[in-house]
Amino acid sequence: MAAIAVTMALTACSAPEDESEEQARQDSDRAAAGEAPDAITIGWNQPYYSYNDDTSDGNATANSIVNYMLRGNLFYYDENQELVRDESLGTFEKTSDDPLTVEYTVADDATWSDGTPMDATDLLLQFVGTSGNLNTIDSSDDVGNLGGEVYFNSSSPGLPLVTELPELSNDNKTLTLVYSEPFADWEVALDFGVPAHVTAMKALGIDDPQAAKDALVEAVQGNDKAALSSLAEFWNTGYDFTAMPDDEMLHLSSGAYELTDYVEGEYLTLTANPDYKGELPASINEVTITYSDDPLAQVQQLQNGELDLFGPQATTDVLEALEAVDQAQVNTGVEGTYEHVDLVMDNGGPFDPATYGGDAETARQVRTAFLTAYPRQDIVDTLIKPINPDAEVRNSFLVTPGSPAYDAVSEASGMDDAFGDGDTEAAAQILADAGVEGPIDVRFLIPADNQRRSDQFDIVQPKLAEAGFNLIADRRGTWGEDLGSGTYDAVSFGWQSTSTAVTESQATFYTGGLNNLIGYSNPEVDALFDELAVTTDEGEQEDIQGQIDAILVEDAIGSTVFQFPSVEAYNKDVVGNVTSAPLNPTIFYGYWNWTGPETE
């Protein structure tokens, strides 16, 4: 699943002065003794808003980084992008290749923080929620009020291949998936999500946790439409909140930390879970995340001792400011996030066939003209190379630069040849040949206070004007929430990779996919993704990915621009052994390894 890398305009908040001074004194004493601090503060750019980051609406980095520390998982990716299993909550193994069969066993002592045992019902709910196999409709405008229909607002590239209901063991500790076809990424297909007992208690009005889980299993196995509709409604929206909820059941812990405080738009606090017995315990008792979309303000907060760690959007101004902070340890690199530009195809705008009387070819030519004029190289040269001199334009939707398949897939995509480098004359000719006269108004969605995206718009707008497009800056503080709303025509933002699975991009380009925010649909692309999901040979995977990339380019749905440069900054006088990961959760990776100041 790809998580959206978003930024929003919010103000950071620090603790009261007397508490800050006392905390600083205690941290100083611990630092002198070489101990880890009792508490640290981390800066982030968008507030947490959902405990369920497996829904289409909750699928954002702002949520997943918190849930990473709050909920345990069966696996994670390390700083080298290697898959690591965490058997604290359970294990899984492939027991057969033909048919592909995977058995999940929940640990005997695994529990939620309310004392309810974890079991296979939790995995069953996650299967039902993300596979969509029991959905009775393909989509819904109101995922919290389904009118009796069943629609779990999520998707998965592999779980739909499990066409029969998973089997539960007699002790309800083991769940078995039997795939109808091979699936290349079976190791990352299923993991724990939200608690089954809470979902069923809230959705079905049952007070007893075990009775609620029994009712959930009965509803799934009996295909009880009414009960499943209620379960789906709560699963979709019941775990959404933007401040500390009164009901602690909405944020139970199965991981190293518990959510103990959350002030809307300001800060969120996680405290070490005293009952956690797993392999990745909290090394620091309290972690507070403060929110601000202004990285230069965060630099100042780091200098003032108000922040101990943050990973800002990398700009030359930020790096120069960090160089002046004596206590700052600054690490740079490349993230698993890439910038891209999306063109919306189903909103009645300039890129929608409906605007041209249903003429899909004319709409495609307009999109092609826009992308031909889009100055990708100028953006990289102006904004990214000063931070990463080796930065290049990214030319593949599916494959990350530096991966073994990138050269072949990017060449097969033809993106570099198709869109060139801001060729405004060629773009204007494409419009003329299509019989479309400019200027064409394009509402371009931009985060209200994101400097790098504002800088990108300033580079792009005059170039597109030369080609016949009138870009209208649509600046919103709620832009992340508005993605996919159809209220804009074009947008540039980042997709952050959460795994190395070859099927990870399916959710973005598949018809009705979790991250398909532009209304794109191509049966040939869908069929190729279906083929990719059941292909285990790496050479064949590479060939299929190249075919998909080429079609996406031909359909002119948008284009990739650059891989994010990364900046990680922390107060070396307070915390040490900080190692971020290129994949989600970036700077929050390895929280169990954080220590006091590193000694030389």
Side-chain angles (χ1 to χ4, degrees):
M1 170 184 67
I4 301 171
V6 292
T7 52
M8 304 182 76
L10 293 149
T11 303
C13 175
S14 60
E17 185 176 356
D18 57 340
E19 294 180 12
S20 297
E21 290 177 352
E22 175 62 18
Q23 185 64 61
R25 184 190 63 77
Q26 293 176 4
D27 286 348
S28 178
D29 291 344
R30 288 189 175 89
E35 299 176 6
D38 182 66
I40 64 170
T41 301
I42 301 176
W44 199 250
N45 51 29
Q46 181 193 10
Y48 181 82
Y49 63 89
S50 184
Y51 177 77
N52 189 356
D53 54 13
D54 288 305
T55 70
S56 179
D57 295 332
N59 177 33
T61 305
N63 299 321
S64 63
I65 56 175
V66 175
N67 293 335
Y68 176 78
M69 304 174 76
L70 189 61
R71 299 204 312 254
N73 297 107
L74 296 172
F75 54 83
Y76 62 92
Y77 283 89
D78 66 14
E79 69 273 27
N80 299 313
Q81 302 185 52
E82 296 291 335
L83 188 69
V84 181
R85 297 195 185 200
D86 175 6
E87 299 186 350
S88 303
L89 297 182
T91 60
F92 61 99
E93 63 175 331
K94 180 171 64 173
T95 58
S96 172
D97 282 313
D98 188 16
L100 174 61
T101 304
V102 185
E103 185 175 279
Y104 297 81
T105 302
V106 182
D108 290 337
D109 60 352
T111 60
W112 295 101
S113 54
D114 67 344
T116 302
M118 301 177 71
D119 58 33
T121 312
D122 295 302
L123 294 171
L124 178 66
L125 173 62
Q126 186 71 349
F127 168 82
V128 172
T130 56
S131 72
N133 287 3
L134 297 184
N135 287 356
T136 59
I137 54 177
D138 293 332
S139 64
S140 174
D141 293 332
D142 187 354
V143 295
N145 184 8
L146 299 175
E149 296 296 335
V150 181
Y151 178 67
F152 288 89
N153 184 28
S154 188
S155 66
S156 165
L159 294 181
L161 299 173
V162 182
T163 54
E164 300 295 328
L165 283 178
E167 179 183 334
L168 300 176
S169 63
N170 291 334
D171 64 0
N172 208 32
K173 283 293 186 180
T174 299
L175 176 138
T176 302
L177 302 182
V178 180
Y179 289 79
S180 59
E181 298 182 66
F183 177 54
D185 298 318
W186 64 268
E187 285 188 281
V188 295
L190 184 67
D191 203 347
F192 287 104
V194 297
H197 70 286
V198 174
T199 306
M201 290 169 72
K202 301 298 183 183
L204 305 178
I206 300 173
D207 293 332
D208 179 72
Q210 186 57 53
K213 288 194 286 187
D214 292 342
L216 188 153
V217 173
E218 183 178 350
V220 171
Q221 293 181 340
N223 198 20
D224 183 336
K225 184 178 179 181
L228 288 170
S229 179
S230 296
L231 288 164
E233 287 179 352
F234 190 83
W235 192 86
N236 290 340
T237 63
Y239 294 103
D240 296 346
F241 54 86
T242 58
M244 194 68 179
D246 294 331
D247 189 350
E248 65 179 13
M249 300 286 279
L250 300 182
H251 54 84
L252 295 183
S253 171
S254 60
Y257 285 89
E258 297 178 310
L259 176 61
T260 53
D261 193 14
Y262 186 18
V263 175
E264 183 167 5
E266 297 184 1
Y267 67 87
L268 176 150
T269 299
L270 299 167
T271 304
N273 180 359
D275 298 321
Y276 180 72
K277 302 180 179 65
E279 300 174 2
L280 308 174
S283 65
I284 293 175
N285 181 59
E286 185 177 279
V287 175
T288 295
I289 305 170
T290 63
Y291 297 110
S292 171
D293 74 337
D294 185 347
L296 290 174
Q298 290 176 318
V299 172
Q300 187 64 51
Q301 290 171 331
L302 185 70
Q303 186 169 25
N304 295 343
E306 298 170 309
L307 277 187
D308 301 307
L309 167 65
F310 76 118
Q313 189 175 87
T315 66
T316 52
D317 289 343
V318 169
L319 284 175
E320 289 174 0
L322 283 170
E323 289 174 357
V325 180
D326 291 338
Q327 70 269 34
Q329 173 64 47
V330 181
N331 301 328
T332 60
V334 179
E335 287 188 19
T337 303
Y338 69 92
E339 189 82 351
H340 67 290
V341 57
D342 275 357
L343 306 183
V344 182
M345 304 167 61
D346 63 348
N347 68 341
F351 307 123
D352 184 347
T355 300
Y356 311 97
D359 187 342
E361 177 57 21
T362 296
R364 188 189 71 82
Q365 292 285 67
V366 173
R367 296 194 301 270
T368 300
F370 184 94
L371 297 171
T372 298
Y374 203 83
R376 298 188 304 156
Q377 189 65 54
D378 287 352
I379 292 171
V380 172
D381 289 345
T382 304
L383 302 179
I384 308 304
K385 280 196 173 183
I387 305 166
N388 175 15
D390 297 325
E392 296 180 350
V393 171
R394 171 167 165 159
N395 285 311
S396 170
F397 288 104
L398 271 61
V399 181
T400 302
S403 69
Y406 177 74
D407 289 344
V409 173
S410 61
E411 182 177 354
S413 78
M415 186 183 295
D416 192 37
D417 293 333
F419 300 148
D421 177 27
D423 191 337
T424 57
E425 290 186 8
Q429 187 61 53
I430 293 171
L431 287 180
D433 292 343
V436 179
E437 295 183 2
I440 300 170
D441 288 343
V442 178
R443 297 168 297 170
F444 204 104
L445 183 61
I446 308 172
D449 295 301
N450 185 301
Q451 188 60 51
R452 191 163 76 191
R453 299 236 165 85
S454 291
D455 291 343
Q456 285 185 63
F457 183 81
D458 291 342
I459 294 170
V460 170
Q461 187 182 42
K463 275 285 191 179
L464 269 293
E466 293 178 24
F469 293 92
N470 175 36
L471 268 61
I472 302 167
D474 185 356
R475 301 180 189 276
R476 307 184 199 177
T478 59
W479 82 275
E481 300 167 19
D482 294 339
L483 288 173
S485 66
T487 58
Y488 56 89
D489 304 313
V491 62
S492 187
F493 66 96
W495 283 127
Q496 184 177 64
S497 298
T498 60
S499 80
T500 59
V502 295
T503 54
E504 185 186 55
S505 297
Q506 176 171 317
T508 306
F509 307 111
Y510 202 90
T511 302
L514 177 68
N515 298 329
N516 188 336
L517 306 175
I518 61 174
Y520 177 63
S521 178
N522 186 320
E524 187 177 0
V525 168
D526 293 349
L528 284 168
F529 269 118
D530 290 341
E531 183 181 353
L532 180 63
V534 300
T535 300
T536 56
D537 180 83
E538 291 184 1
E540 294 178 11
Q541 289 175 348
E542 184 178 296
D543 178 66
I544 296 170
Q545 288 174 310
Q547 293 180 56
I548 294 172
D549 242 319
I551 296 172
L552 298 176
V553 169
E554 177 67 19
D555 287 345
I557 67 168
S559 78
T560 53
V561 185
F562 59 82
Q563 207 69 22
F564 274 34
S566 67
V567 174
E568 163 197 277
Y570 61 91
N571 188 334
K572 60 186 178 182
D573 294 337
V574 173
V575 63
N577 204 27
V578 176
T579 304
S580 65
L583 302 177
N584 183 286
T586 62
I587 62 172
F588 291 84
Y589 167 76
Y591 61 81
W592 55 91
N593 291 324
W594 294 342
T595 65
E598 299 171 9
T599 57
E600 297 183 2

